[in-house]
Amino acid sequence: MNKSSSLLLLTIALGSLTAGCSDEVQNKAELEKYAASQAGEAKHKSMSAVEMTGHEGGGMQHSMPMPAELSTSRQSDVGEIGRRADDLPAPLNRTQAQLVSVDLYTDERVAEMMPGVTYQYWTYNGKVPGPFIRARAGDQVEIHLNHGKPGAAGAAHSEHTAAQHSADGHSAHSIDLHAVVGPGGGAPLMQVEQGEQKSFRFKATHPGIYVYHCASPHVPTHIANGMYGMILVEPEQGLAKVDREFYVMQGDFYTSGKYGDKGLQSFSKEKMLAEKPEYFLFNGRVNSLSGERALKAKVGEKIRLFVGLGSHVASNFHIIGAIFDSLYQDGAIMNPPLKNVQTTVIAPGSAVMIEFTAEVPGKYLLVDHSLTRAIDKGALAELVIEGAAQPELYQQVDH
């Protein structure tokens, strides 16, 4: 084993020991942060719309401008942890490779997991999952990662001492992108400590839909707290045109209390090690993709889903009442798809691309078909299809 490998293993081992601090210390730190978060929420609510726009700046340089109809919704979602399923860049419309620059920051923030239940999430850019990154085969992709939100908005984070960060288990953050061909997916180059910013560049060589996640000690803890996202590398010729695209990631969360227990819930490393999560969630929280935040389409539209598994327990992804016309397993979008698929298993750290046409109006449920996870632990989302009835395909029969 060479010297650099030995140092990396030593760093991981020391980080794992640090993350094993007592629940008492963790709870105290989390309660202090929750109080600070509540004060921040009050400040947010008192801001003008102009101030709010400036405060929410940052993100990915290649993302599209926010549509007007989403702008109003976002301003009303102060404190929202879950990323909307339609929050992803548009398909690429170019034939030449270019440099894709991506700005990310880490943010540990208390947010609502379900009504009356809060949790300290660890995030990229303040949401779960992190931003959807879109590139083309042949592109150079440059990742910039800040530890903490840049500028005045990140001042509270920067005031935390190194000892506080270490006690909480997030003295460093990083990123490992499964689309990278190189050691650690970029993580050895991107161990970012408090107040630091680092960058690295890689060439996107293999088309596919890939997961990315934090890879700082204790790695499983960082992932379990919400530090994951997806990167799509489109083929040089691009993807076939569809009417709607959606971004969905399932994650498992390990709270000290049982599902639905009220109050601020701390992270349980013991439950994580036993692989016994209390919550299975799409896009960060219970009902994150339901109601006014449901996936929406119209009869006759072709839908493309990018579905990934962020954390540790495999998913049995299913849409009740729909059949996948095309399923690209394991992120292999260049392979011939499976046809007419009912349910697919998504391994931890993997993703699929699904395409189908909405044929009958109504509400469809996205679930983990290990159905206690959907009915009792949160793995449930809604797809609402609008349009004229299709009695030749679906109708009640009276006798």
Side-chain angles (χ1 to χ4, degrees):
M1 181 179 293
N2 60 35
K3 183 177 180 181
S4 62
S5 297
S6 300
L7 288 173
L8 180 59
L9 288 174
L10 177 60
T11 300
I12 292 173
L14 290 174
S16 298
L17 290 172
T18 300
C21 60
S22 70
D23 285 345
E24 181 179 354
V25 173
Q26 286 186 342
N27 289 343
K28 181 179 178 182
E30 286 165 355
L31 287 168
E32 290 172 352
K33 289 179 182 177
Y34 182 54
S37 172
Q38 293 296 94
E41 296 299 320
K43 183 178 179 181
H44 269 286
K45 290 174 182 177
S46 67
M47 282 180 165
S48 69
V50 173
E51 290 172 324
M52 185 67 72
T53 300
H55 186 73
E56 290 187 343
M60 296 185 355
Q61 294 180 10
H62 70 284
S63 61
M64 301 297 290
M66 185 184 301
E69 64 271 19
L70 292 184
S71 179
T72 301
S73 173
R74 179 168 176 176
Q75 289 179 14
S76 69
D77 274 353
V78 175
E80 172 63 57
I81 194 68
R83 188 171 298 279
R84 295 185 70 104
D86 55 5
D87 184 7
L88 72 170
L92 301 179
N93 185 22
R94 55 184 169 86
T95 58
Q96 299 297 317
Q98 67 178 41
L99 174 65
V100 176
S101 183
V102 182
D103 288 337
L104 299 173
Y105 63 87
T106 68
D107 192 14
E108 301 90 28
R109 52 185 297 245
V110 173
E112 193 173 74
M113 183 170 278
M114 65 183 298
V117 179
T118 52
Y119 184 76
Q120 188 193 65
Y121 295 85
W122 301 0
T123 74
Y124 293 107
N125 292 29
K127 300 284 186 185
V128 178
F132 189 99
I133 302 171
R134 196 162 199 151
R136 171 190 176 276
D139 284 348
Q140 293 285 335
V141 182
E142 192 167 284
I143 306 292
H144 311 279
L145 180 64
N146 281 276
H147 187 133
K149 192 170 185 176
H157 181 97
S158 298
E159 288 170 4
H160 297 164
T161 66
Q164 284 175 312
H165 280 290
S166 180
D168 285 348
H170 50 72
S171 57
H173 289 302
S174 58
I175 187 167
D176 165 5
L177 302 104
H178 293 186
V180 171
V181 177
L189 308 178
M190 296 292 283
Q191 297 295 325
V192 181
E193 297 185 358
Q194 179 185 358
E196 285 189 328
Q197 189 264 0
K198 291 185 180 180
S199 303
F200 90 110
R201 184 183 294 184
F202 69 95
K203 185 175 182 178
T205 55
H206 291 62
I209 178 70
Y210 300 96
V211 168
Y212 67 81
H213 58 82
C214 189
S216 297
H218 174 253
V219 177
T221 297
H222 285 245
I223 296 172
N225 281 323
M227 297 197 76
Y228 49 78
M230 289 168 68
I231 175 171
L232 171 67
V233 180
E234 294 191 12
E236 291 183 1
Q237 68 273 22
L239 294 174
K241 182 175 171 38
V242 296
D243 298 293
R244 309 273 179 174
E245 290 186 334
F246 296 109
Y247 172 31
V248 179
M249 290 197 78
Q250 182 172 324
D252 33 281
F253 289 83
Y254 303 83
T255 57
S256 54
K258 294 184 180 298
Y259 180 92
D261 282 358
K262 302 300 183 184
L264 177 64
Q265 295 297 310
S266 61
F267 167 70
S268 172
K269 187 174 181 180
E270 291 73 21
K271 289 182 181 179
M272 182 186 68
L273 293 175
E275 297 185 354
K276 293 183 177 180
E278 293 292 338
Y279 292 81
F280 291 87
L281 303 176
F282 293 128
N283 288 26
R285 67 168 174 85
V286 176
N287 293 327
S288 180
L289 304 179
S290 299
E292 72 87 21
R293 292 167 55 91
L295 289 65
K296 296 174 183 176
K298 296 178 181 179
V299 168
E301 289 186 329
K302 188 168 185 177
I303 297 168
R304 176 179 290 140
L305 299 178
F306 301 106
V307 186
L309 200 291
S311 45
H312 304 308
V313 180
S315 173
N316 313 284
F317 186 74
H318 176 78
I319 302 178
I320 300 175
I323 296 172
F324 309 154
D325 294 337
S326 298
L327 168 66
Y328 298 84
Q329 290 182 303
D330 302 322
I333 65 174
M334 300 300 288
N335 288 358
L338 295 178
K339 296 291 188 179
N340 303 324
V341 177
Q342 58 190 315
T343 301
T344 185
V345 175
I346 307 175
S350 190
V352 300
M353 187 171 80
I354 295 165
E355 294 174 346
F356 64 99
T357 300
E359 297 185 80
V360 177
K363 182 185 293 184
Y364 297 76
L365 299 180
L366 285 62
V367 299
D368 185 323
H369 210 288
S370 180
L371 286 172
T372 55
R373 300 177 184 176
I375 295 170
D376 303 301
K377 294 195 171 186
L380 187 71
E382 297 175 349
L383 168 65
V384 178
I385 305 298
E386 298 179 342
Q390 304 294 318
E392 72 278 10
L393 294 176
Y394 185 87
Q395 66 171 308
Q396 178 105 39
V397 176
D398 296 323
H399 293 287

